[in-house]
Amino acid sequence: MENSHNLHPAWVVGFIDGEGCFSVDILKNKATGTGYQVQLRFSVTQHIRDKDLIFKLQSFFGCGYVNKDGPTKFQFRIRRFSDLEKYLFPLLGNYPLQTQKRLDAECFIKVHSIIKNNLHLTPTPLSTYHRRGGPGVGLNAILKIKNSINPPLHLPSERGPVGKKVKI
């Protein structure tokens, strides 16, 4: 990863903590064996006045693309499976996210791993696999993970340390 435009990796990760989005999409696709296609997307969206920053992020990562997102926004995206693994994941490993978004990134990386190991090609029910003592695999597992990404926000008094629910 080239350090273009003087963006420091720690700053980029801090920016991702505040503005990044990890998305898992499950789309109907009759051309696949399961009838569904799983797509991963990392994105950062900014107002048009900060479009230069969006292009700096693209240059920093050396991959991805920039799209106009409506009349007033630009979005940087990484969707290519190999680019996520080669550029984004090592950055997050070296400079861990500090907010709740860390949990979203961990789920995103887990789905990437499921796909990489071709476990998304089977709709194995979670309950069947759990009886064998392992984590769920297949599309059902991805769906469960997808539904845990970007959970609703809670009031600060309802949350403890990142990812820990506390009793109030």
Side-chain angles (χ1 to χ4, degrees):
M1 185 172 349
E2 181 181 318
N3 190 356
S4 301
H5 303 284
N6 299 321
L7 295 180
H8 190 279
W11 183 89
V12 171
V13 170
F15 195 71
I16 291 169
D17 241 334
E19 301 292 332
C21 182
F22 299 93
S23 301
V24 177
D25 297 318
I26 301 174
L27 310 168
K28 286 188 178 185
N29 185 338
K30 293 180 182 179
T32 65
T34 62
Y36 293 92
Q37 178 181 3
V38 180
Q39 292 182 346
L40 299 175
R41 180 180 67 241
F42 165 74
S43 62
V44 177
T45 304
Q46 289 291 289
H47 189 273
I48 196 168
R49 69 179 168 256
D50 292 318
K51 74 176 183 179
D52 290 344
L53 176 59
I54 292 295
F55 283 101
K56 286 180 183 180
L57 286 172
Q58 180 187 31
S59 182
F60 173 86
F61 281 102
C63 66
Y65 56 95
V66 174
N67 278 345
K68 198 160 185 199
D69 185 21
T72 62
K73 298 181 281 185
F74 274 82
Q75 186 175 75
F76 167 64
R77 294 181 183 176
I78 301 175
R79 291 180 59 163
R80 184 175 292 152
F81 195 80
S82 59
D83 287 346
L84 291 166
E85 187 171 24
K86 185 175 179 182
Y87 300 108
L88 179 62
F89 297 166
L91 177 70
L92 299 178
N94 291 329
Y95 298 89
L97 294 165
Q98 299 298 308
T99 67
Q100 179 73 28
K101 198 161 289 179
R102 176 181 52 84
L103 301 175
D104 295 343
E106 289 170 0
C107 289
F108 187 80
I109 292 167
K110 186 173 188 176
V111 171
H112 184 278
S113 177
I114 289 170
I115 296 169
K116 183 177 180 177
N117 291 301
N118 291 320
L119 298 175
H120 67 298
L121 301 176
T122 171
T124 303
L126 284 172
S127 58
T128 303
Y129 196 76
H130 278 290
R131 283 194 294 268
R132 292 187 302 214
V137 295
L139 288 173
N140 290 328
I142 292 173
L143 182 60
K144 184 175 181 178
I145 294 167
K146 171 188 171 24
N147 290 336
S148 71
I149 294 177
N150 302 315
L153 296 175
H154 297 280
L155 296 173
S157 62
E158 295 178 0
R159 297 299 263 179
V162 173
K164 305 280 188 206
K165 188 89 169 170
V166 295
K167 192 172 186 175
I168 53 174

